[in-house]
């Protein structure tokens, strides 16, 4: 049989509504609480019929998956992104025999209260807080529940305590060695939990804090070393975390040459290049744990 005569077969497939933005307000008298999520549902299972023969018999529509997100927000509330994702994932797999796996990806945007003096007891004004986005991915295949939490867009900077030298110099190397540089990055992290119930908000806050503390406390000889210090701090201090993957763009701060103006630049004036940027990525695991977080975090 020639190559072109070998028939096509259907490979991995999934479908669902992406980026359903749901805001859930809970009213506790005059004090209101707000949760703001973007929920993406991806379902897979016996979907040969729809792809190969155009039969929609096994298709729970993407429109229905979107409606389910809204209905569950009303009926169950949103205790945490993880809790909400677990409910949805279990629902899709247990209610439809054709669906064997549900993957729910959630981004959460944080809001905090505006405590204006003139507002009295009516506590219903909020301001978007936190530059970073909290993320959660819940996957249920009918047996195993996998919970991967994370954050993205957490920008941090050390204005000293960072050196970079001793690297390979070949004929193309122009980078100058330094014993005092600015180290800045945007923390993008995913961590996989080894259990399926926990105080997810406390786990998130604790992990975020450890990442920040390790970044601040590590005297750095490279962003790679800082990354490992951050990841191993989490593995060392959060027993519920089995594995963490970090993707850290090096937000290069270059000293501006002020000599043409007759000025000395004593590590004071920098220009920040947004691209190209070094991209340092690694997984830190608990010894013996099987790696489960995909290498490429871009769309996670
Ligand atoms: O911390 C760093 N790691 C590198 O691998 C690298 N490469 C580079 O040009 N600058 C830096 N900084």
């Amino acid at each position: 049989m020639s190559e072109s005569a070998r028939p096509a077969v259907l490979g991995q497939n999934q479908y669902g509504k992406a980026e359903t933005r749901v805001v859930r307000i809970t009213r506790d008298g005059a004090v209101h609480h707000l949760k703001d999520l973007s929920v993406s549902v991806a379902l897979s299972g016996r979907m040969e019929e729809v792809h190969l023969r155009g039969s929609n018999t096994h298709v729970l529509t993407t429109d229905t998956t979107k409606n389910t997100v809204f209905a569950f927000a009303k009926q169950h509330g949103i205790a945490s992104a993880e809790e909400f994702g677990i409910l949805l994932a279990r629902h899709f797999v247990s209610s439809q025999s054709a669906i064997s796996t549900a993957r729910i990806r959630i981004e959460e945007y944080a809001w905090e209260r505006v405590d204006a003096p003139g507002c009295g007891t009516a506590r219903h004004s909020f301001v978007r807080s936190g530059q970073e986005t909290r993320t959660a991915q819940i996957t249920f295949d009918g047996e195993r529940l996998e919970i991967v939490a994370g954050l993205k867009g957490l920008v941090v900077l050390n204005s000293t305590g960072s050196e970079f030298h001793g690297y390979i110099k070949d004929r193309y190397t122009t980078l100058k060695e330094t014993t005092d540089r600015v180290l800045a990055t945007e923390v993008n992290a995913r961590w996989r939990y080894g259990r399926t119930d926990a105080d997810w908000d406390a786990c998130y806050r604790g992990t975020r804090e450890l990442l920040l503390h390790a970044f601040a406390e590590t005297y750095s000889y490279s962003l790679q070393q800082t990354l490992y210090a951050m990841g191993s701090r989490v593995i060392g201090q959060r027993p519920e975390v089995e594995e963490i993957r970090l993707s850290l763009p090096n937000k290069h701060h270059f000293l501006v040459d002020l000599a043409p103006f007759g000025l000395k630049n004593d590590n004071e004036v920098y220009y920040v290049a947004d691209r190209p940027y070094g991209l340092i990525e690694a997984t830190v695991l608990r010894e013996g744990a099987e790696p489960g977080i995909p290498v490429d975090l871009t769309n996670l």
Side-chain angles (χ1 to χ4, degrees):
M1 213 189 300
S2 75
E3 279 302 304
S4 61
R6 286 164 65 190
V9 290
L10 178 66
Q12 196 281 339
N13 62 88
Q14 58 193 23
Y15 80 101
K17 198 71 95 191
E19 300 187 36
T20 296
R21 189 68 181 265
V22 55
V23 171
R24 171 66 153 101
I25 296 174
T26 309
R27 297 192 162 77
D28 184 7
V31 181
H32 296 181
H33 304 271
L34 190 148
K35 284 277 186 187
D36 181 357
L37 308 184
S38 171
V39 181
S40 296
V41 174
L43 307 176
S44 46
R46 293 203 313 277
M47 294 297 152
E48 292 76 17
E49 293 276 303
V50 60
H51 289 94
L52 307 186
R53 285 176 279 285
S55 161
N56 297 329
T57 325
H58 291 155
V59 176
L60 182 73
T61 68
T62 69
D63 194 61
T64 302
T65 67
K66 176 252 301 169
N67 291 345
T68 310
V69 169
F70 290 132
F72 271 40
K74 161 71 186 170
Q75 292 171 314
H76 304 284
I78 300 171
S80 65
E82 290 83 357
E83 208 63 62
F84 193 58
I86 292 169
L87 282 175
L88 286 166
R90 285 193 183 283
H91 165 79
F92 291 124
V93 172
S94 61
S95 65
Q96 301 301 327
S97 62
I99 294 167
S100 50
T101 301
R103 190 203 65 202
I104 314 294
R105 285 183 175 164
I106 298 178
E107 293 195 349
E108 178 171 355
Y109 314 106
W111 293 82
E112 64 187 51
R113 255 168 237 297
V114 178
D115 275 321
C119 283
T121 53
R123 307 190 64 202
H124 57 250
S125 300
F126 299 86
V127 55
R128 261 290 278 276
S129 68
Q131 23 138 6
E132 79 271 20
T133 302
R134 176 173 168 176
T135 64
Q137 174 177 291
I138 290 84
T139 311
F140 183 57
D141 64 4
E143 281 170 22
R144 235 172 58 86
L145 192 56
E146 186 197 72
I147 300 160
V148 177
L151 55 79
K152 58 183 188 183
L154 181 65
V155 180
V156 289
L157 181 151
N158 284 330
S159 53
T160 189
S162 167
E163 307 188 9
F164 192 61
H165 45 78
Y167 43 80
I168 296 167
K169 281 108 194 160
D170 72 1
R171 58 189 292 213
Y172 303 113
T173 303
T174 57
L175 187 73
K176 298 271 172 295
E177 299 194 315
T178 173
T179 54
D180 191 5
R181 68 172 181 172
V182 167
L183 185 68
T185 187
E186 175 191 305
V187 182
N188 299 296
R190 297 289 179 275
W191 54 90
R192 185 170 54 77
Y193 290 115
R195 59 172 85 147
T196 54
D197 66 354
D199 179 345
W200 301 118
D201 287 345
C203 292
Y204 177 81
R205 278 194 306 273
T207 305
R208 178 185 183 278
E209 187 173 85
L210 291 174
L211 290 170
L212 290 177
H213 288 184
F215 178 80
E217 289 165 9
T218 302
Y219 190 95
S220 176
Y221 291 93
S222 67
L223 188 51
Q224 286 90 328
Q225 181 206 8
T226 296
L227 180 154
Y228 187 75
M230 294 166 76
S232 57
R233 179 80 64 105
V234 172
I235 296 299
Q237 298 199 23
R238 301 294 317 185
E240 70 278 20
V241 176
E242 284 292 285
E243 172 189 9
I244 180 165
R245 183 159 182 86
L246 290 152
S247 175
L248 304 181
N250 194 348
K251 297 176 95 58
H252 300 298
H253 286 57
F254 295 113
L255 277 175
V256 178
D257 180 10
L258 299 176
F261 322 126
L263 298 170
K264 199 166 159 246
N265 191 353
D266 211 5
N267 271 1
E268 290 165 302
V269 182
Y270 299 85
Y271 73 93
V272 186
D274 71 335
R275 66 192 68 175
Y277 50 89
L279 185 58
I280 311 300
E281 305 181 291
T283 300
V284 183
L285 304 114
R286 193 169 297 291
E287 202 181 346
E290 278 296 315
I293 302 175
V295 164
D296 192 353
L297 296 184
T298 12
N299 294 314
L300 200 64

